[in-house]
Amino acid sequence: MPEMSKNEASLRRVMTVDFETTRTISGGHPEGDRVLLNVAGGTFHGDGPHGAFQGSVAHGSDWVTKYPDGSMALDVRAQLLASDGTAILMTYAGISADGVVHTTPTFSAPGSSAFGWLNRLVCLARGEVREGGVSYDVYTLQ
């Protein structure tokens, strides 16, 4: 395998997030149907600079625009609650088609917490829609 140059990026998995969702559909809008996904719960886990971490999904919603071709634009805000009580805001836009989701999450955690390092990441995520929710693997560039 060829050696990576110092200008090439690679990906490192940051966490896996499993959202449990319910949905409400509002059809007939000019830009496409609107789908509101309420995040009813879920879990997350990963490995960071201070070791393994885990927690639950406290709140969230996804304001989806479903286009006539079946693809969807995502606009998500979710609050993750780490097992130590730290609240972490996860926001992202993305595209979903054929059950596969691609997003660009960003995080906001208290800088003084064990999760402040999340605030400085550039992330990409790939997920899959499943019955009752969606699951993501979140990666960062390194």
Side-chain angles (χ1 to χ4, degrees):
M1 183 181 322
E3 188 175 317
M4 273 180 49
S5 80
K6 60 183 173 182
N7 292 329
E8 290 184 47
S10 63
L11 297 175
R12 178 180 56 84
R13 191 169 69 82
V14 175
M15 69 174 70
T16 297
V17 183
D18 296 304
F19 290 120
E20 302 299 329
T21 62
T22 59
R23 71 179 56 205
T24 303
I25 300 174
S26 175
H29 296 272
E31 55 283 317
D33 292 345
R34 299 297 182 146
V35 182
L36 174 60
L37 295 174
N38 179 51
V39 176
T43 60
F44 70 97
H45 60 88
D47 193 22
H50 305 289
F53 59 86
Q54 64 182 4
S56 60
V57 179
H59 309 282
S61 63
D62 184 354
W63 293 83
V64 175
T65 301
K66 185 174 182 181
Y67 299 116
D69 69 358
S71 66
M72 295 179 277
L74 313 177
D75 179 8
V76 179
R77 309 283 185 279
Q79 186 183 50
L80 310 179
L81 188 59
S83 59
D84 71 355
T86 302
I88 304 163
L89 179 63
M90 178 182 186
T91 62
Y92 57 89
I95 296 292
S96 176
D98 301 322
V100 178
V101 184
H102 295 96
T103 70
T104 55
T106 59
F107 298 93
S108 177
S112 61
S113 75
F115 296 95
W117 58 274
L118 287 168
N119 301 336
R120 298 180 299 275
L121 300 183
V122 172
C123 293
L124 303 169
R126 183 185 188 285
E128 293 190 13
V129 177
R130 56 178 167 70
E131 184 64 35
V134 62
S135 298
Y136 290 98
D137 286 317
V138 178
Y139 300 88
T140 187
L141 295 169
Q142 57 179 22

